[in-house]
Amino acid sequence: MILVTGATGQVGGEVVQALVRAGQPARALVRRPTELPVEQAVGDLDDPASVAPALDGVRGVFLLPGYRDMPGLLAEMRRAGVERVVLLSSLAAVATDTRNAISEFMIRSETAVRGSGLAWTFLRPNAFMSNALRWLPQLLAGDTVRDAFGDVPIASVDPYDIAAVAVRALLDAGHEERVHLLSGPERHLPAQRLAILAEVLDRDLRFHALTDEEARADMTGRMPQEYIDAFFAFYVDGTIDESLIHPTVENVTGSAPRTFRQWALAHRDAFAPSPDGGSG
Ligand SMILES: NC(=O)c1ccc[n+]([C@@H]2O[C@H](COP(=O)([O-])OP(=O)(O)OC[C@H]3O[C@@H](n4cnc5c(N)ncnc54)[C@H](OP(=O)(O)O)[C@@H]3O)[C@@H](O)[C@H]2O)c1
């Protein structure tokens, strides 16, 4: 049995689907019961004791980072007899400046998993292709997308491919104590991603790059100041480089990673307005 955390999210949702396709027994940890193709157990990752019942009979865990008591969560897993953990980390973990709030929680999570005594694999993906869904409110309101860091190229990765690697690391030997750097097959500027999306949606869309001052103002209120500073360190000061293309997805899964066009085609419906005025 594999326990999938974040099962209603972008990556965990794909991990659930991939385990179902593989015919592998899986359980989703959810805060509220919902519709999923696998059994569910209710628990809150910020409260390790609440996760204990979900761990019954579990051999491997797909784990999201950054919860309040990561060592406590890992202790519950060890007590339950879990053998291996695949942690969704990020490139932020390589930036050693723990004053950076995102690096801090990634490093804290990796440290807890490393110290747990369980077999571990870390996934350090570049930014997700699914971040384009954050453009949805602007795309429902008009044809212009205003966004930050317009001059930063990123080889973004499809959560589908992150999940495919996670499943191999959960089910196969040979991924223990390994760090998998994950990217898609191409690097794009945000305007290039929007141009691909425009073709797929058959719309005439324009990208407007925010200045750094505009970007800070835009992000304020949507996330804590410390996260805004963290993103500026990554993308303006250049403390991480997500433009690098890694061969990992193909090496691990045997399939080439998906392009942004493939992601956009697979998620085209999410960008279509629904009759009630929301997204489709
Ligand atoms: N976006 C990127 O470009 C990027 C890049 C590298 C790494 N990451 C990391 O990836 C992670 C996000 O992955 P994602 O995009 O797949 O997630 P997501 O779509 O944002 O969904 C978050 C998931 O976590 C669950 N969750 C949140 N708090 C929880 C709690 N206290 N207890 C149990 N479950 C909880 C949510 O469940 P509910 O349905 O209950 O809300 C949901 O299933 C973050 O840690 C982020 O730092 C992101």
Side-chain angles (χ1 to χ4, degrees), residues 100-123:
N100 179 304
I102 297 177
S103 296
E104 186 280 329
F105 86 69
M106 293 296 179
I107 293 168
R108 182 165 53 79
S109 303
E110 288 195 1
T111 303
V113 173
R114 239 185 250 272
S116 68
L118 305 180
W120 56 263
T121 308
F122 297 157
L123 308 181

Side-chain angles (χ1 to χ4, degrees), residues 7 40-41 84 88 105 107 134 147 162 179 181 199 203 226-227 232 236-237:
Q40 300 174 41
R84 63 173 71 187
L88 177 62
F105 86 69
I107 293 168
R134 296 175 191 160
D147 207 352
I162 303 172
V179 176
L181 300 177
E199 276 176 33
R203 287 180 61 180
E226 58 196 22
Y227 282 15
F232 269 76
V236 177
D237 303 340

Side-chain angles (χ1 to χ4, degrees), residues 6-12 29 31-32 43-46 64-65 67 88-90 105-106 125-128 131 134:
T8 57
Q10 292 296 327
V11 183
L29 182 85
R31 288 190 285 187
R32 286 168 298 279
D44 186 328
L45 290 164
D46 279 323
L64 261 49
Y67 296 97
L88 177 62
S89 180
S90 93
F105 86 69
M106 293 296 179
N126 287 347
F128 303 166
N131 292 349
R134 296 175 191 160

Side-chain angles (χ1 to χ4, degrees), residues 138-139 142-146 191 194 198 203-208:
Q138 297 188 71
L139 290 173
D143 294 326
T144 300
V145 168
R146 298 159 54 84
L194 186 68
R203 287 180 61 180
D204 185 14
L205 301 176
R206 282 175 301 280
F207 186 80
H208 173 93

